[in-house]
Amino acid sequence: MLQKLLISFFLLLGISVRSQTVVINEIDADTPGFDVAEFVELKSFDSNGIALPNYPLDGYVLVFYNAGSTPFLGTTCYYSIDLDGLVTDVNGLILIGNSGVSPSPFRFFPSNTLQNGPDVVALYIGNDTDFLIGSTATNTNLVSALAYSNASNTQPTTLMSILNLTICINENATSNAANHSIQRKNDGSYEVKTPTPAFNNDGSGIPINYITVSFPQTSFNEGDSFNITFTTSQPVQNENLIMNFTLANGNFTNLDFSGGLTVVIPVGQTTAQNGIIISNDGIDEGDEEMKFVLQPLPIGYVSYNNNIVIRVNDANFATDPWGTPLNPTYNLVAPTIPQGYYDSLEGLSGAALKQAVQNIIANPAVVRLHSYADIWEILRTSDRNPRNNNQVWCMYIEAPMSKLDQQNTSSIVGKWNREHIFPQSRGGFEVRNGDIADGINVWTTTGPYTTSDGVSDAHHIRAENGQENSSRGNKNYGTVNTSTVYAGMAGTQGSWRGDVARALFYMAVRFDALNIVNGDPMELSGSNPSFQIGDLATLLSWNTVDPRDDFEMNRNNYIYTWQMNRNPFIDYPNLANYIFGANYGQQWFSTLSTQNPIENKVVVYPNPASDYLIISGLDGASKVEIFTITGQIIQSQDFENETRLNLDLNAGIYMVKIINGVQTITKRIIIK
């Protein structure tokens, strides 16, 4: 408070606030990868320009200004950090940055927050509430500011004028912006070189004893025991170093582990360990996270890393009797189709059949629209991993992720999020203002006309790894154009392809404006959506070679409990051929669907196979077709009752389609 009064007094006298004792000493905005090591370093000085140790930063606020898409016009705040409670170290330095910065910052901001420029970072007397997101830049109470960019020909002109700045520093002056930072020299000018977070830029200063904390791994299971290791950069001097720490975090409490929360490093030593045992309470509470937080240290010691989050996997997870999409099971999950739900489709064909399907799945008197925020809750159940219900199954990467890793910040690294199979940009879907998770008992009506409602239709939204979701973007599916086609993450087996096809068939019937076309539909210019996606021929093939499984049927059943509509192309996969494919114009009857008796009696073996395959259990004339995982037919043969099919195939995964009269079944085989 005294400091604020003095500064106000100096302002009244006309003395520039910028003569005060804190400056922006170093900035690293552009860092390797997804920018997880950004930081801003401040330094305090006395009136003679000598580093001022242990200087309190109460009453200061750090502000990030965005120059916007037009550097010459942008002037708004996009992030602010209140510095109350912080104190500079023995060299007058303090570090504010991402959790990935070492040594550990004294205050954190999220990864990928500090923009690469041209922008400005400024230090003020004030509070973060004085600098709300979107507020206009001001010179009032300005203490220090630095304009920066990552190119020699751009600078935040308007911001510089408002803040009385005449120089903009190019972080890419060495053509190595990702590995260099902007650093203040002793004469007040700046240079670009290798980052020196928490160390004087010229290498001088009092050595600080840094404490590094390490865990043997980043995750543990209930019942595990482990040691936390504490290491100092120099031997402990004068008296034993006593450190206290906490592990509790949210639902993970002190009752969930045993072991002391104090550790001592004796004089002359550099390391000590502390043992922890995670309790197994025999109850499935879901995965949790402990958070290691080192409490304030004696003068002369600084934590090199802190606020370490460690995953605790619940040992008592639940499972389901059906398989994952990668190792599917069939016919274990019965469809919960209400009696008479599809009766109106019998005997219809062509456009009349498509309209009758829409009348069922888009009936505004029955179908419910939930909020986009509710999709998180739906996915945590509909997309749960059958092998561990504390995880969700991520479709494209064909692997589970913990439900705890749900994306709740701007960072997608290591997180799962909500993937729209029919992309938002193509469908014109909109998240409405005030979108909140209000549960299964709160909904609005929806029909086929309002395409924007597709934003929260769970039948085409899947749990997905955030980075893979970003890679997929709004690409088409199939082989129509290598620059716009999504084929899936390298090394995966395509277990999601039939799911994608059936979700898109649903969307193309559910909403009037949406459509699936052959080839590569071009996006309209500007921000208008195309309402189209391709490739239809590929999707029809995928619908066959990757048949619906128990995971997909369970998902269909669960979403029905929320939305009161089903995906008919999961209940009757062959329906797609009568609306979009080769059977268009022919009458549809439910007996034509792939829900048929041969699924229970046909046998295909051995699997894995090498040079032959036996198919048995059928009566009468049948046909077998072998497809690649991408849908290319490579072998076929007619047979009666049973056959031995000789193979000459490369090692890999293939689909075997067996046709017996009007009944078909598709099975996955592995060739060694």
Side-chain angles (χ1 to χ4, degrees):
M1 179 61 71
L2 177 60
Q3 181 179 325
K4 288 185 177 181
L5 292 174
L6 288 173
I7 290 172
S8 299
F9 175 71
F10 290 146
L11 285 171
L12 290 173
L13 292 178
I15 299 174
S16 172
V17 176
R18 219 172 290 187
S19 66
Q20 293 300 305
T21 53
V22 185
V23 299
I24 296 172
N25 197 53
E26 185 173 358
I27 289 179
D28 197 356
D30 191 350
T31 68
F34 191 70
D35 283 350
V36 297
E38 306 160 326
F39 69 86
V40 177
E41 180 187 77
L42 306 177
K43 189 167 186 176
S44 53
F45 293 92
D46 64 15
S47 59
N48 296 315
I50 299 174
L52 185 63
N54 308 317
Y55 185 81
L57 296 178
D58 294 327
Y60 287 87
V61 58
L62 190 63
V63 179
F64 300 166
Y65 284 121
N66 180 19
S69 58
T70 304
F72 306 99
L73 300 178
T75 61
T76 57
C77 164
Y78 68 90
Y79 202 82
S80 62
I81 307 168
D82 199 292
L83 304 182
D84 286 350
L86 298 184
V87 178
T88 61
D89 66 17
V90 68
N91 291 311
L93 300 174
I94 194 161
L95 195 61
I96 297 98
N98 301 159
S99 60
V101 176
S102 294
S104 178
F106 281 83
R107 190 147 293 171
F108 294 93
F109 57 83
S111 297
N112 200 30
T113 293
L114 187 56
Q115 298 181 7
N116 291 346
D119 292 307
V120 169
V121 171
L123 182 68
Y124 288 90
I125 297 298
N127 299 292
D128 55 353
T129 54
D130 301 326
F131 298 90
L132 301 177
I133 294 175
S135 60
T136 303
T138 176
N139 192 42
T140 304
N141 290 342
L142 181 66
V143 176
S144 177
L146 175 62
Y148 67 95
S149 71
N150 59 1
S152 59
N153 59 348
T154 59
Q155 59 184 21
T157 307
T158 304
L159 275 171
M160 292 174 65
S161 175
I162 293 173
L163 303 177
N164 294 329
L165 299 174
T166 58
I167 296 175
C168 177
I169 309 300
N170 176 17
E171 188 177 357
N172 199 37
T174 58
S175 300
N176 194 13
N179 296 295
H180 282 174
S181 66
I182 299 171
Q183 302 176 28
R184 185 180 186 276
K185 297 196 293 186
N186 292 332
D187 62 4
S189 63
Y190 288 88
E191 61 183 337
V192 177
K193 62 179 184 179
T194 303
T196 60
F199 291 90
N200 279 333
N201 298 334
D202 63 359
S204 64
I206 299 172
I208 295 176
N209 204 342
Y210 285 99
I211 299 168
T212 301
V213 179
S214 60
F215 289 75
Q217 55 199 54
T218 58
S219 67
F220 297 94
N221 299 320
E222 287 184 339
D224 287 351
S225 59
F226 59 92
N227 288 326
I228 306 175
T229 302
F230 300 77
T231 305
T232 58
S233 57
Q234 304 169 40
V236 172
Q237 302 293 322
N238 301 324
E239 60 182 17
N240 294 342
L241 172 59
I242 302 173
M243 295 173 284
N244 297 307
F245 61 93
T246 60
L247 295 175
N249 180 41
N251 293 332
F252 187 84
T253 70
N254 289 344
L255 298 177
D256 291 315
F257 67 93
S258 59
L261 296 175
T262 299
V263 66
V264 178
I265 300 181
V267 171
Q269 302 297 310
T270 60
T271 188
Q273 290 187 332
N274 197 75
I276 298 293
I277 301 174
I278 303 175
S279 305
N280 183 352
D281 55 14
I283 302 172
D284 182 14
E285 300 171 308
D287 296 342
E288 297 173 314
E289 291 178 327
M290 71 171 73
K291 186 175 183 179
F292 173 91
V293 179
L294 195 59
Q295 299 303 292
L297 295 164
I299 293 176
Y301 294 94
V302 173
S303 61
Y304 191 83
N305 58 338
N306 200 3
N307 298 283
I308 304 169
V309 175
I310 300 294
R311 178 64 47 82
V312 178
N313 301 311
D314 200 304
N316 306 286
F317 55 82
T319 61
D320 296 308
W322 56 87
T324 69
L326 192 59
N327 296 286
T329 58
Y330 303 93
N331 301 316
L332 295 179
V333 178
T336 56
I337 304 171
Q339 185 174 3
Y341 189 73
Y342 291 119
D343 285 358
S344 61
L345 307 184
E346 295 295 301
L348 298 181
S349 62
L353 176 61
K354 180 179 179 181
Q355 183 61 56
V357 173
Q358 186 188 72
N359 291 344
I360 297 171
I361 65 175
N363 183 353
V366 176
V367 179
R368 300 173 178 179
L369 176 69
H370 291 275
S371 73
Y372 186 46
D374 279 323
I375 292 295
W376 290 117
E377 182 178 348
I378 294 174
L379 294 180
R380 284 193 289 268
T381 298
S382 67
D383 290 23
R384 67 184 184 270
N385 176 17
R387 297 290 172 261
N388 182 339
N389 285 178
N390 292 327
Q391 302 170 338
V392 291
W393 184 264
C394 293
M395 180 174 65
Y396 297 140
I397 66 171
E398 299 179 324
M401 295 182 70
S402 174
K403 291 179 180 178
L404 277 180
D405 291 324
Q406 173 183 316
Q407 181 184 344
N408 51 24
T409 67
S410 61
S411 175
I412 60 176
V413 178
K415 303 295 182 180
W416 64 272
N417 55 25
R418 300 163 292 186
E419 151 69 352
H420 288 83
I421 294 175
F422 201 114
Q424 292 193 66
S425 63
R426 287 177 177 253
F429 310 140
E430 297 177 1
V431 179
R432 290 169 174 78
N433 292 333
D435 188 49
I436 60 172
D438 40 26
I440 194 170
N441 294 319
V442 179
W443 70 87
T444 59
T445 58
T446 177
Y449 316 111
T450 310
T451 308
S452 60
D453 287 353
V455 72
S456 58
D457 194 313
H459 282 301
H460 85 121
I461 304 176
R462 295 290 289 265
E464 189 49 63
N465 173 274
Q467 290 164 286
E468 187 63 19
N469 188 359
S470 178
S471 297
R472 186 263 157 138
N474 67 352
K475 300 182 181 71
N476 296 299
Y477 296 95
T479 57
V480 291
N481 183 328
T482 55
S483 65
T484 61
V485 167
Y486 181 74
M489 184 177 179
T492 55
Q493 299 178 29
S495 65
W496 48 269
R497 289 175 173 166
D499 303 50
V500 161
R502 290 178 282 274
L504 292 178
F505 296 150
Y506 165 87
M507 291 295 285
V509 176
R510 168 69 175 83
F511 294 101
D512 284 342
L514 302 185
N515 199 13
I516 311 171
V517 299
N518 281 309
D520 177 16
M522 298 297 293
E523 291 285 10
L524 300 179
S525 60
S527 60
N528 295 324
S530 67
F531 301 110
Q532 296 180 342
I533 195 167
D535 167 59
L536 177 58
T538 298
L539 295 169
L540 287 167
S541 174
W542 285 359
N543 183 44
T544 299
V545 299
D546 178 30
R548 70 106 203 277
D549 53 28
D550 288 319
F551 183 95
E552 196 176 2
M553 182 58 75
N554 176 73
R555 192 175 192 280
N556 196 20
N557 290 345
Y558 181 71
I559 292 172
Y560 174 76
T561 66
W562 281 74
Q563 297 184 182
M564 303 307 292
N565 71 347
R566 300 181 63 83
N567 183 339
F569 302 100
I570 295 174
D571 292 331
Y572 297 121
N574 202 34
L575 181 61
N577 294 326
Y578 287 78
I579 294 179
F580 299 101
N583 299 109
Y584 183 84
Q586 299 176 18
Q587 285 182 298
W588 162 262
F589 296 96
S590 58
T591 54
L592 301 173
S593 79
T594 55
Q595 304 280 331
N596 55 67
I598 70 169
E599 293 185 13
N600 300 320
K601 62 183 183 180
V602 68
V603 179
V604 179
Y605 67 96
N607 190 12
S610 55
D611 55 356
Y612 72 91
L613 197 65
I614 294 176
I615 302 169
S616 64
L618 298 174
D619 296 319
S622 300
K623 183 177 183 178
V624 58
E625 297 175 338
I626 299 181
F627 296 82
T628 65
I629 196 68
T630 59
Q632 179 185 4
I633 186 170
I634 56 176
Q635 191 171 346
S636 67
Q637 180 175 311
D638 295 320
F639 67 96
E640 293 279 339
N641 302 328
E642 181 175 316
T643 187
R644 176 186 171 113
L645 185 66
N646 293 323
L647 304 174
D648 184 17
L649 302 174
N650 295 326
I653 296 174
Y654 297 85
M655 307 305 298
V656 178
K657 180 180 179 182
I658 301 147
I659 306 165
N660 180 253
V662 297
Q663 303 174 81
T664 63
I665 184 174
T666 305
K667 291 182 176 289
R668 188 192 306 260
I669 63 167
I670 299 173
I671 302 298
K672 297 185 294 185

